[in-house]
Amino acid sequence: MTISHKHNKNKSDLVSIIISTYNWPEALKLCVESIFKQTTLPAEIIIADDGSKQPTFDVIESLTKRSPVPIIHVWHPDEGFKLSQIRNKAIAKVSQQYIIQIDGDILLEKHFVEDHLNIAEQGYMVTGSRVNLSEYYSSLIIAANIIPPNSELRKNSTNYFNSLRIPILMPFFAKRYKTKGKYLHFTRGCNMAYFKDDIANVNGYNEDMTGWGSEDTELVARMLQNGVKKKFIKLGGIGYHIWHPFASRKRATINDEIYKETIKQKLTWVENGLNKY
């Protein structure tokens, strides 16, 4: 079954959006506002909050009051970088069959949800790219507190090709671009989509992976080893990444070893995962 419904908001109950965030309410506000502008709205927005302080609560409260769809704030105390755990907690709250996953520093082009739903297909997970904005331009966006027009975002991107939207070519690239070889497990956690049943069948994210690195690729490896296939959303599903300093990489090597072991052992399930919630 393929989900397809151009400009049909009556089908929005197919999809939930999960946004991960941590102590950057200014970016989160703009991210959520870019969802409000979508040609196809999701049924709900679930914010996976890895321990943000009160300013984020205040922004979410304000957004909730004017949101066209329900916003669910899933929060846990700040005990370090626990993205895998908070994403699992958010996934457990999802009420719809299909999940689009982004980060709170992404501005969505207005067809983002529509494009994802037009490429969604049973038996597949989807990953996409992101369009990087420069440090200087990102600072201007945050200071202005307004989402710039898409033409301006494209003009100020550092990887222009990723900002091109040509929907007629999306199906051609979907099963050909970065789906094999060294790119087999490649993904961007800030632009992913999957069926709820498919992620539940591998028990979600591996919560043994804390700190930055490899949690998304490890998840994709288990999903593929469990029989799910991969598509790439190219020339559509465009998200602009607001620049920020890198998170600490001190756990990257440990997480990469967990990922490699998942491949070596052909694992499809993780014990420390989604089913706790």
Side-chain angles (χ1 to χ4, degrees):
M1 181 186 77
T2 300
I3 301 173
S4 181
H5 57 281
K6 292 182 180 179
H7 303 288
N8 186 348
K9 295 184 181 180
N10 294 327
K11 297 293 185 180
S12 65
D13 60 353
L14 292 167
V15 62
S16 302
I17 291 186
I18 292 178
I19 310 171
S20 59
T21 193
Y22 174 70
N23 278 334
W24 200 6
E26 298 86 356
L28 178 64
K29 172 184 175 291
L30 297 177
C31 173
V32 174
E33 286 178 342
S34 74
I35 298 175
F36 295 171
K37 298 174 182 292
Q38 291 295 296
T39 56
T40 299
L41 291 170
E44 61 190 359
I45 298 167
I46 300 179
I47 298 175
D49 186 347
D50 194 19
S52 298
K53 295 181 171 61
Q54 189 60 44
T56 294
F57 280 75
D58 295 341
V59 162
I60 293 172
E61 181 181 10
S62 174
L63 290 165
T64 301
K65 289 177 180 177
R66 53 193 177 89
S67 176
V69 300
I71 295 179
I72 301 166
H73 185 195
V74 182
W75 177 91
H76 63 195
D78 185 358
E79 297 176 349
F81 194 117
K82 291 193 174 181
L83 181 58
S84 292
Q85 183 179 88
I86 197 60
R87 278 185 175 154
N88 279 344
K89 290 177 177 178
I91 292 164
K93 297 292 186 183
V94 165
S95 64
Q96 308 306 313
Q97 62 170 305
Y98 200 63
I99 299 169
I100 298 175
Q101 176 182 294
I102 64 173
D103 287 346
D105 53 18
I106 298 292
L107 304 178
L108 306 184
E109 193 272 335
K110 69 179 182 179
H111 300 94
F112 185 89
V113 173
E114 178 186 330
D115 289 346
H116 263 284
L117 289 177
N118 283 337
I119 204 172
E121 182 180 353
Q122 287 282 0
Y124 286 83
M125 59 81 57
V126 175
T127 189
S129 5
R130 64 185 184 187
V131 186
N132 293 317
L133 301 173
S134 70
E135 179 178 1
Y136 174 69
Y137 186 65
S138 296
S139 70
L140 295 181
I141 292 173
I142 293 298
N145 195 29
I146 296 172
I147 302 171
N150 189 63
S151 58
E152 187 178 315
L153 289 167
R154 290 180 64 189
K155 186 172 64 176
N156 287 279
S157 66
T158 61
N159 48 346
Y160 181 82
F161 181 66
N162 283 357
S163 72
L164 297 179
R165 181 176 182 267
I166 310 176
I168 197 171
L169 293 180
M170 280 172 48
F172 175 81
F173 283 97
K175 298 178 183 179
R176 293 177 173 89
Y177 185 77
K178 291 188 177 180
T179 57
K180 299 180 179 67
K182 68 178 182 178
Y183 292 110
L184 179 61
H185 301 144
F186 173 84
T187 190
R188 291 282 186 196
C190 63
N191 189 352
M192 281 177 65
Y194 41 81
F195 285 89
K196 186 177 181 180
D197 285 348
D198 288 338
I199 196 167
N201 287 340
V202 298
N203 208 20
Y205 277 90
N206 186 347
E207 294 185 19
D208 290 341
M209 303 178 81
T210 61
W212 182 91
S214 299
E215 70 281 341
D216 299 308
T217 50
E218 195 274 343
L219 170 66
V220 170
R222 279 185 287 114
M223 291 179 77
L224 268 57
Q225 286 161 188
N226 201 43
V228 176
K229 297 177 183 178
K230 175 184 166 185
K231 284 185 176 183
F232 203 104
I233 187 165
K234 195 68 180 172
L235 301 175
I238 296 161
Y240 294 91
H241 179 248
I242 304 172
W243 183 93
H244 57 80
F246 286 126
S248 169
R249 292 335 196 219
K250 66 181 180 180
R251 283 274 306 183
T253 301
I254 297 170
N255 288 347
D256 191 52
E257 288 302 315
I258 294 173
Y259 160 61
K260 289 177 180 177
E261 193 65 19
T262 291
I263 297 171
K264 181 180 178 182
Q265 300 293 332
K266 295 181 167 48
L267 301 178
T268 60
W269 182 264
V270 62
E271 290 301 324
N272 189 13
L274 178 62
N275 64 351
K276 296 186 296 183
Y277 314 109

mmCIF file of all heavy atoms in Angstrom, residues 123-150:
data_model
loop_
_atom_site.group_PDB
_atom_site.id
_atom_site.type_symbol
_atom_site.label_atom_id
_atom_site.label_comp_id
_atom_site.label_asym_id
_atom_site.label_seq_id
_atom_site.Cartn_x
_atom_site.Cartn_y
_atom_site.Cartn_z
ATOM 1 N N GLY A 123 6.292 -1.527 3.991
ATOM 2 C CA GLY A 123 7.505 -2.322 3.820
ATOM 3 C C GLY A 123 8.765 -1.502 3.665
ATOM 4 O O GLY A 123 9.857 -2.070 3.545
ATOM 5 N N TYR A 124 8.630 -0.165 3.679
ATOM 6 C CA TYR A 124 9.775 0.718 3.505
ATOM 7 C C TYR A 124 9.851 1.746 4.632
ATOM 8 O O TYR A 124 8.824 2.225 5.123
ATOM 9 C CB TYR A 124 9.688 1.489 2.187
ATOM 10 C CG TYR A 124 9.982 0.660 0.966
ATOM 11 C CD1 TYR A 124 8.986 -0.125 0.386
ATOM 12 C CD2 TYR A 124 11.254 0.649 0.394
ATOM 13 C CE1 TYR A 124 9.246 -0.896 -0.735
ATOM 14 C CE2 TYR A 124 11.521 -0.116 -0.737
ATOM 15 C CZ TYR A 124 10.514 -0.889 -1.295
ATOM 16 O OH TYR A 124 10.786 -1.653 -2.413
ATOM 17 N N MET A 125 11.078 2.081 5.023
ATOM 18 C CA MET A 125 11.339 3.294 5.784
ATOM 19 C C MET A 125 11.971 4.292 4.822
ATOM 20 O O MET A 125 12.459 3.914 3.753
ATOM 21 C CB MET A 125 12.234 3.033 6.998
ATOM 22 C CG MET A 125 13.614 2.450 6.730
ATOM 23 S SD MET A 125 14.884 3.631 6.202
ATOM 24 C CE MET A 125 14.866 4.785 7.536
ATOM 25 N N VAL A 126 11.944 5.562 5.188
ATOM 26 C CA VAL A 126 12.415 6.622 4.286
ATOM 27 C C VAL A 126 13.416 7.499 5.026
ATOM 28 O O VAL A 126 13.225 7.823 6.204
ATOM 29 C CB VAL A 126 11.240 7.490 3.789
ATOM 30 C CG1 VAL A 126 11.744 8.655 2.946
ATOM 31 C CG2 VAL A 126 10.249 6.652 2.990
ATOM 32 N N THR A 127 14.472 7.863 4.338
ATOM 33 C CA THR A 127 15.378 8.868 4.873
ATOM 34 C C THR A 127 15.595 9.947 3.818
ATOM 35 O O THR A 127 15.401 9.707 2.619
ATOM 36 C CB THR A 127 16.723 8.260 5.298
ATOM 37 O OG1 THR A 127 17.492 9.239 6.003
ATOM 38 C CG2 THR A 127 17.525 7.775 4.106
ATOM 39 N N GLY A 128 15.954 11.120 4.286
ATOM 40 C CA GLY A 128 16.190 12.232 3.371
ATOM 41 C C GLY A 128 17.460 12.968 3.713
ATOM 42 O O GLY A 128 18.275 12.523 4.506
ATOM 43 N N SER A 129 17.644 14.113 3.085
ATOM 44 C CA SER A 129 18.802 14.943 3.359
ATOM 45 C C SER A 129 18.363 16.170 4.124
ATOM 46 O O SER A 129 17.226 16.281 4.549
ATOM 47 C CB SER A 129 19.516 15.349 2.081
ATOM 48 O OG SER A 129 18.905 14.966 0.942
ATOM 49 N N ARG A 130 19.300 17.082 4.280
ATOM 50 C CA ARG A 130 18.971 18.380 4.865
ATOM 51 C C ARG A 130 19.738 19.440 4.092
ATOM 52 O O ARG A 130 20.756 19.153 3.461
ATOM 53 C CB ARG A 130 19.334 18.428 6.352
ATOM 54 C CG ARG A 130 20.819 18.295 6.627
ATOM 55 C CD ARG A 130 21.115 18.222 8.109
ATOM 56 N NE ARG A 130 22.551 18.200 8.346
ATOM 57 C CZ ARG A 130 23.105 18.003 9.544
ATOM 58 N NH1 ARG A 130 22.331 17.805 10.595
ATOM 59 N NH2 ARG A 130 24.418 18.007 9.679
ATOM 60 N N VAL A 131 19.230 20.633 4.165
ATOM 61 C CA VAL A 131 19.892 21.771 3.518
ATOM 62 C C VAL A 131 20.538 22.585 4.634
ATOM 63 O O VAL A 131 19.858 23.056 5.552
ATOM 64 C CB VAL A 131 18.882 22.642 2.750
ATOM 65 C CG1 VAL A 131 19.615 23.725 1.966
ATOM 66 C CG2 VAL A 131 18.011 21.792 1.834
ATOM 67 N N ASN A 132 21.844 22.742 4.568
ATOM 68 C CA ASN A 132 22.563 23.440 5.631
ATOM 69 C C ASN A 132 22.565 24.948 5.412
ATOM 70 O O ASN A 132 22.854 25.425 4.313
ATOM 71 C CB ASN A 132 24.012 22.937 5.710
ATOM 72 C CG ASN A 132 24.088 21.502 6.162
ATOM 73 O OD1 ASN A 132 23.390 21.098 7.087
ATOM 74 N ND2 ASN A 132 24.927 20.706 5.506
ATOM 75 N N LEU A 133 22.240 25.681 6.475
ATOM 76 C CA LEU A 133 22.312 27.135 6.461
ATOM 77 C C LEU A 133 23.578 27.572 7.194
ATOM 78 O O LEU A 133 24.009 26.920 8.141
ATOM 79 C CB LEU A 133 21.075 27.729 7.138
ATOM 80 C CG LEU A 133 19.734 27.335 6.513
ATOM 81 C CD1 LEU A 133 18.573 27.844 7.360
ATOM 82 C CD2 LEU A 133 19.619 27.864 5.074
ATOM 83 N N SER A 134 24.162 28.660 6.760
ATOM 84 C CA SER A 134 25.428 29.105 7.335
ATOM 85 C C SER A 134 25.237 29.596 8.769
ATOM 86 O O SER A 134 24.117 29.924 9.196
ATOM 87 C CB SER A 134 26.034 30.225 6.491
ATOM 88 O OG SER A 134 25.255 31.409 6.631
ATOM 89 N N GLU A 135 26.337 29.672 9.490
ATOM 90 C CA GLU A 135 26.288 30.160 10.865
ATOM 91 C C GLU A 135 25.755 31.592 10.914
ATOM 92 O O GLU A 135 24.882 31.912 11.733
ATOM 93 C CB GLU A 135 27.687 30.106 11.493
ATOM 94 C CG GLU A 135 27.741 30.627 12.909
ATOM 95 C CD GLU A 135 29.122 30.528 13.530
ATOM 96 O OE1 GLU A 135 30.067 30.069 12.856
ATOM 97 O OE2 GLU A 135 29.268 30.926 14.711
ATOM 98 N N TYR A 136 26.245 32.437 10.030
ATOM 99 C CA TYR A 136 25.825 33.836 10.043
ATOM 100 C C TYR A 136 24.350 33.976 9.705
ATOM 101 O O TYR A 136 23.596 34.654 10.419
ATOM 102 C CB TYR A 136 26.673 34.647 9.054
ATOM 103 C CG TYR A 136 26.206 36.079 8.908
ATOM 104 C CD1 TYR A 136 26.359 36.995 9.959
ATOM 105 C CD2 TYR A 136 25.591 36.513 7.734
ATOM 106 C CE1 TYR A 136 25.914 38.306 9.832
ATOM 107 C CE2 TYR A 136 25.148 37.819 7.606
ATOM 108 C CZ TYR A 136 25.316 38.714 8.650
ATOM 109 O OH TYR A 136 24.866 40.002 8.534
ATOM 110 N N TYR A 137 23.920 33.323 8.622
ATOM 111 C CA TYR A 137 22.521 33.437 8.213
ATOM 112 C C TYR A 137 21.591 32.831 9.266
ATOM 113 O O TYR A 137 20.504 33.355 9.522
ATOM 114 C CB TYR A 137 22.310 32.763 6.860
ATOM 115 C CG TYR A 137 20.927 32.962 6.308
ATOM 116 C CD1 TYR A 137 20.464 34.228 5.952
ATOM 117 C CD2 TYR A 137 20.065 31.878 6.147
ATOM 118 C CE1 TYR A 137 19.182 34.420 5.456
ATOM 119 C CE2 TYR A 137 18.782 32.061 5.647
ATOM 120 C CZ TYR A 137 18.351 33.327 5.308
ATOM 121 O OH TYR A 137 17.079 33.514 4.819
ATOM 122 N N SER A 138 22.020 31.740 9.881
ATOM 123 C CA SER A 138 21.226 31.126 10.950
ATOM 124 C C SER A 138 21.026 32.092 12.107
ATOM 125 O O SER A 138 19.925 32.184 12.676
ATOM 126 C CB SER A 138 21.906 29.841 11.445
ATOM 127 O OG SER A 138 21.955 28.864 10.433
ATOM 128 N N SER A 139 22.067 32.831 12.443
ATOM 129 C CA SER A 139 21.949 33.803 13.538
ATOM 130 C C SER A 139 20.947 34.900 13.193
ATOM 131 O O SER A 139 20.216 35.389 14.068
ATOM 132 C CB SER A 139 23.315 34.407 13.874
ATOM 133 O OG SER A 139 23.777 35.260 12.832
ATOM 134 N N LEU A 140 20.880 35.277 11.914
ATOM 135 C CA LEU A 140 19.911 36.284 11.483
ATOM 136 C C LEU A 140 18.478 35.765 11.609
ATOM 137 O O LEU A 140 17.576 36.495 12.021
ATOM 138 C CB LEU A 140 20.189 36.696 10.036
ATOM 139 C CG LEU A 140 21.512 37.402 9.743
ATOM 140 C CD1 LEU A 140 21.612 37.750 8.261
ATOM 141 C CD2 LEU A 140 21.658 38.665 10.595
ATOM 142 N N ILE A 141 18.277 34.503 11.242
ATOM 143 C CA ILE A 141 16.946 33.901 11.337
ATOM 144 C C ILE A 141 16.471 33.868 12.786
ATOM 145 O O ILE A 141 15.337 34.251 13.099
ATOM 146 C CB ILE A 141 16.957 32.470 10.753
ATOM 147 C CG1 ILE A 141 17.180 32.509 9.247
ATOM 148 C CG2 ILE A 141 15.655 31.741 11.084
ATOM 149 C CD1 ILE A 141 17.374 31.140 8.631
ATOM 150 N N ILE A 142 17.349 33.432 13.680
ATOM 151 C CA ILE A 142 16.983 33.334 15.102
ATOM 152 C C ILE A 142 16.693 34.728 15.663
ATOM 153 O O ILE A 142 15.728 34.924 16.412
ATOM 154 C CB ILE A 142 18.104 32.643 15.898
ATOM 155 C CG1 ILE A 142 18.238 31.169 15.465
ATOM 156 C CG2 ILE A 142 17.834 32.729 17.396
ATOM 157 C CD1 ILE A 142 17.009 30.321 15.710
ATOM 158 N N ALA A 143 17.516 35.703 15.295
ATOM 159 C CA ALA A 143 17.309 37.066 15.794
ATOM 160 C C ALA A 143 15.997 37.659 15.280
ATOM 161 O O ALA A 143 15.274 38.348 16.015
ATOM 162 C CB ALA A 143 18.483 37.955 15.391
ATOM 163 N N ALA A 144 15.663 37.386 14.028
ATOM 164 C CA ALA A 144 14.438 37.934 13.436
ATOM 165 C C ALA A 144 13.182 37.237 13.942
ATOM 166 O O ALA A 144 12.098 37.816 13.940
ATOM 167 C CB ALA A 144 14.507 37.834 11.920
ATOM 168 N N ASN A 145 13.327 35.973 14.347
ATOM 169 C CA ASN A 145 12.210 35.204 14.903
ATOM 170 C C ASN A 145 11.079 35.019 13.892
ATOM 171 O O ASN A 145 9.907 34.940 14.242
ATOM 172 C CB ASN A 145 11.671 35.888 16.168
ATOM 173 C CG ASN A 145 10.777 34.981 16.988
ATOM 174 O OD1 ASN A 145 10.941 33.767 16.979
ATOM 175 N ND2 ASN A 145 9.825 35.564 17.683
ATOM 176 N N ILE A 146 11.452 34.966 12.600
ATOM 177 C CA ILE A 146 10.486 34.792 11.516
ATOM 178 C C ILE A 146 11.093 33.835 10.492
ATOM 179 O O ILE A 146 12.296 33.901 10.201
ATOM 180 C CB ILE A 146 10.167 36.141 10.828
ATOM 181 C CG1 ILE A 146 9.486 37.093 11.808
ATOM 182 C CG2 ILE A 146 9.291 35.948 9.596
ATOM 183 C CD1 ILE A 146 9.309 38.497 11.277
ATOM 184 N N ILE A 147 10.267 32.964 9.926
ATOM 185 C CA ILE A 147 10.742 32.049 8.887
ATOM 186 C C ILE A 147 10.884 32.813 7.571
ATOM 187 O O ILE A 147 9.901 33.372 7.069
ATOM 188 C CB ILE A 147 9.770 30.874 8.700
ATOM 189 C CG1 ILE A 147 9.588 30.111 10.010
ATOM 190 C CG2 ILE A 147 10.273 29.935 7.603
ATOM 191 C CD1 ILE A 147 8.486 29.071 9.961
ATOM 192 N N PRO A 148 12.076 32.855 6.990
ATOM 193 C CA PRO A 148 12.245 33.563 5.708
ATOM 194 C C PRO A 148 11.538 32.827 4.577
ATOM 195 O O PRO A 148 11.240 31.631 4.691
ATOM 196 C CB PRO A 148 13.769 33.540 5.491
ATOM 197 C CG PRO A 148 14.356 33.177 6.821
ATOM 198 C CD PRO A 148 13.340 32.332 7.509
ATOM 199 N N PRO A 149 11.278 33.502 3.469
ATOM 200 C CA PRO A 149 10.714 32.830 2.299
ATOM 201 C C PRO A 149 11.642 31.716 1.813
ATOM 202 O O PRO A 149 12.870 31.793 1.981
ATOM 203 C CB PRO A 149 10.615 33.948 1.249
ATOM 204 C CG PRO A 149 10.691 35.218 2.028
ATOM 205 C CD PRO A 149 11.506 34.935 3.238
ATOM 206 N N ASN A 150 11.054 30.715 1.176
ATOM 207 C CA ASN A 150 11.844 29.588 0.701
ATOM 208 C C ASN A 150 12.935 30.021 -0.267
ATOM 209 O O ASN A 150 14.052 29.496 -0.239
ATOM 210 C CB ASN A 150 10.933 28.558 0.032
ATOM 211 C CG ASN A 150 11.648 27.272 -0.299
ATOM 212 O OD1 ASN A 150 12.122 26.576 0.596
ATOM 213 N ND2 ASN A 150 11.745 26.951 -1.572
#
